[in-house]
């Protein structure tokens, strides 16, 4: 008989004894306390589970803090740990990836095959002159060649910069330019909601705006007509047929601190930040967190329903599951296409055991009602996960009752692009409270503090800080070390704490409740957008003199964007102009940044120093009191 959770109060949910005793970490408190006794020894022990060409001399070097170094002197390669080593054991016959395209086509790739595909891709990159330390931009939909391209870059020591396929021309051009990528990997298109997303057209325009690119490798996915530039663009299938594309390739022995990838994310200015992660610490951190939090075992079929273009996909579709030798499922398209049953149908069909997705997706599917999940056999599931934004208790309960059938604990994982992996999260042995990401992962020390750095008492809001370095932490902002120091380490520089940029509160039990961002970052459907990015997109239109955008709560998306624009003299406000501006943002930034509402105004509330008071706009949009207006100019 299936045991159910036995909540002693409506607030608490405890995992069953069966789940706890079979978990990698059956006693969270014991492991946490033990790890905190000697954090370096703890991480060193975790690193021993991986392959090192040469052992490290020092676990952590803090001599140049906050430019921390982990596993100093160690030689390794994340692709060796994710692919090469499994292709030499019994796992060579195991499925590394199961994939389903939106139109319903399917692919399965064993570790043996994956190794060959990665080698082939790596040899093609080498033949294009890509060397250690070179940056390669990847702009694709969710198809197996995306992880393969990432792993191939890492294998030869190139630094990948994956740009989410929902970004548009200018965003892609900015990221290519910042990374100075000479090679771009893309696909002709991607399937989304039954339509083709014309990726190659976006790449063509982006390269026009950022002409550093010399070669483009194009994977054929949709087969529609595209423009291929002679001498610059090559079909992947043509290259793969050449003798240079051998399935054998040496893996570069990388220094533990050599860069693995750059991932651009939004911050407080319009220019996206290139968050940099390295080979050594990142592999230890992502694999440990996945193994312990989702209790991954060889027989699992793990589904992280994110996009590899975001950190969630980097860490938990690609690297961590493969390092653990797991089977990772990936799906190309929209959750409700062609019907709202798509997710549930695939869970049944492939016997998926863990589902990790975002609250926005859960809320989106919840809208269609529980008849959809109830029609399918979801008994293969044993754990569920949530990421990207706070999960509201209503969505938590729906997920718990109708997807997990009250059997599957929900791991609400709080983390960031910068942290590399889960930071505050339950383990399957921890009691859950819907809406709380619970407690820090072993080895991680977090706190909620006031302006002066004093710990806030239970129930009081403060700033979320991380008090000790961890192996998965970002190492710098690519090309901008000052920004790295200023953004993350200056607020509590005396104490040497990392500022997460979120506000939070702890409760009497030490559980952390994330409230939201304290900076100008808006989370739309779990995607991270900077107000400045959208604003600079708006003012790049000839009609707009000034713009301010805010996030306003939305039932499904978490937040939607409201934009306020002052038009240039002589320009008339109209519905047509509003539509034109929305379309403009779609092209300048991407569909995810399109405001749901644009209002034309004569003035914007500003401080005397000229800073826009978004708080006032937000209060007005939400019909709340506007608060202290003493700093308002007029
Ligand atoms: O505000 C927090 C929110 O997402 C931010 C990080 O965004 P990004 O770098 O895009 O990474 C998202 C995927 C890891 C955080 O500063 N956030 C992330 N997870 C949670 C969350 N807020 C509440 N609960 C979470 N579980």
């Amino acid at each position: 008989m299936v045991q159910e959770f036995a909540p002693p109060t409506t607030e608490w949910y405890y995992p069953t004894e069966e789940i706890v005793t079979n978990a990698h970490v059956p006693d969270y408190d014991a492991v946490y306390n033990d790890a905190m006794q000697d954090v370096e020894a703890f991480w060193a022990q975790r690193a021993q589970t991986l392959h090192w060409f040469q052992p490290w001399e020092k676990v952590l070097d803090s001599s140049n803090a906050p430019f921390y170094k982990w596993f100093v002197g160690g030689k390794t390669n994340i692709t060796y740990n994710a692919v090469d080593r499994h292709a030499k054991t019994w796992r060579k016959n195991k499925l590394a990836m199961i994939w389903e395209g939106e139109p319903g086509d399917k692919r399965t790739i064993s570790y043996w095959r994956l190794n060959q595909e990665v080698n082939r891709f790596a040899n093609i990159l080498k033949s294009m002159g890509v060397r250690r330390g070179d940056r390669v931009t990847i702009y694709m939909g969710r198809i197996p060649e995306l992880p393969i391209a990432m792993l191939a870059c890492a294998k030869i020591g190139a630094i990948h910069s994956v740009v989410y396929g929902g970004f548009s021309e200018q965003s892609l051009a900015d990221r290519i330019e910042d990374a100075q990528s000479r090679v771009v990997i893309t696909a002709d298109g991607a399937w989304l909601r039954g339509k083709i997303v014309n990726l190659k057209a976006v790449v063509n325009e982006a390269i026009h705006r950022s002409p550093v690119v010399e070669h483009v490798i194009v994977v054929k996915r949709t087969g529609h007509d595209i423009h291929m530039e002679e001498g610059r663009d090559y079909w992947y299938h043509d290259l793969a047929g050449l003798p240079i594309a051998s399935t054998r390739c040496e893996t570069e022995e990388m220094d533990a601190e050599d860069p693995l990838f750059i991932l651009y994310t939004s911050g407080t200015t319009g220019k996206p930040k290139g968050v940099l992660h390295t080979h050594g610490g990142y592999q230890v951190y992502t694999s440990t967190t996945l193994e312990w939090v989702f209790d991954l075992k060889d027989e699992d079929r793990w589904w992280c329903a994110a996009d590899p273009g975001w950190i969630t996909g980097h860490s938990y579709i690609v690297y961590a599951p493969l390092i653990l030798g797991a089977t990772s499922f990936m799906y190309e398209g929209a959750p409700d296409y062609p019907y709202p049953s798509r997710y549930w149908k695939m869970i049944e069909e492939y016997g998926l055991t863990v589902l990790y997705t975002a609250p926005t997706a859960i809320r989106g599917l919840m809208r269609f009602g529980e008849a959809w999940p109830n029609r399918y056999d979801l008994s293969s599931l044993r754990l569920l996960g949530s990421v990207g934004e706070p999960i509201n208790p209503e969505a938590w309960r729906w997920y718990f009752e109708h997807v997990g059938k009250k059997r599957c604990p929900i791991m609400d994982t709080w983390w960031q692009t910068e942290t590399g992996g889960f930071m505050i999260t339950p383990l399957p042995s921890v009691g859950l409270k819907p809406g709380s990401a619970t407690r820090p992962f072993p080895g991680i020390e977090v706190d909620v503090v006031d302006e002066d750095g004093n710990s806030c008492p239970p129930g009081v809001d403060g700033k979320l800080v991380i008090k000790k370095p961890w192996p998965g932490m970002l190492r710098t902002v690519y090309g901008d070390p000052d920004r790295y120091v200023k953004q993350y380490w200056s607020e509590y520089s005396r104490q040497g704490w990392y500022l997460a940029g979120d506000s939070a509160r702890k409760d009497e039990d030490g559980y952390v409740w994330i409230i939201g961002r304290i900076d100008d970052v808006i989370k739309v459907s779990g995607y991270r957008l900077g107000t400045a990015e959208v604003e600079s997109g708006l003012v790049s239109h000839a009609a707009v003199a000034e713009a301010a955008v805010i996030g306003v709560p939305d039932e499904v998306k978490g937040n939607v964007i409201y934009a306020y624009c002052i038009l240039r003299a002589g320009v008339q406000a109209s519905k047509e102009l509003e539509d034109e501006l929305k379309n403009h943002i779609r092209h300048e930034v991407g569909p995810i940044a399109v405001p749901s509402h644009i209002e034309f105004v004569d003035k914007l509330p500003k401080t005397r120093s000229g800073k826009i008071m978004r708080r006032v706009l937000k209060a007005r949009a939400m019909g709340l009191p506007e608060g202290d207006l003493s700093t308002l100019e007029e």
Side-chain angles (χ1 to χ4, degrees), residues 312 388-390 412-417 502 514 517 523 528:
T312 311
E389 51 179 327
D412 178 359
T413 60
W414 176 89
W415 59 296
Q416 308 178 299
T417 305
D502 278 10
I514 306 292
R517 299 289 306 191
K523 281 262 162 168
R528 180 165 158 180

Side-chain angles (χ1 to χ4, degrees), residues 108-124:
T108 49
I109 302 173
S110 66
Y111 275 96
W112 178 262
R113 181 72 191 278
L114 180 63
N115 185 40
Q116 297 194 333
E117 297 283 340
V118 169
N119 288 346
R120 198 197 309 273
F121 216 124
N123 282 322
I124 290 172

Side-chain angles (χ1 to χ4, degrees), residues 93-100 105-111 113-114 117 144 301 327-329 350:
N93 295 324
K94 184 177 171 177
L95 293 184
M97 279 176 1
I98 303 175
W99 174 83
E100 186 166 303
D105 42 344
K106 302 168 185 355
R107 280 166 76 182
T108 49
I109 302 173
S110 66
Y111 275 96
R113 181 72 191 278
L114 180 63
E117 297 283 340
R301 286 189 162 187
T327 300
S328 187
F329 176 73
Y350 297 102

Side-chain angles (χ1 to χ4, degrees), residues 280-293:
Y282 177 80
Q283 60 179 0
V284 175
Y285 196 71
T286 52
S287 60
T288 300
T289 47
L290 182 61
E291 183 174 27
W292 286 8
V293 172

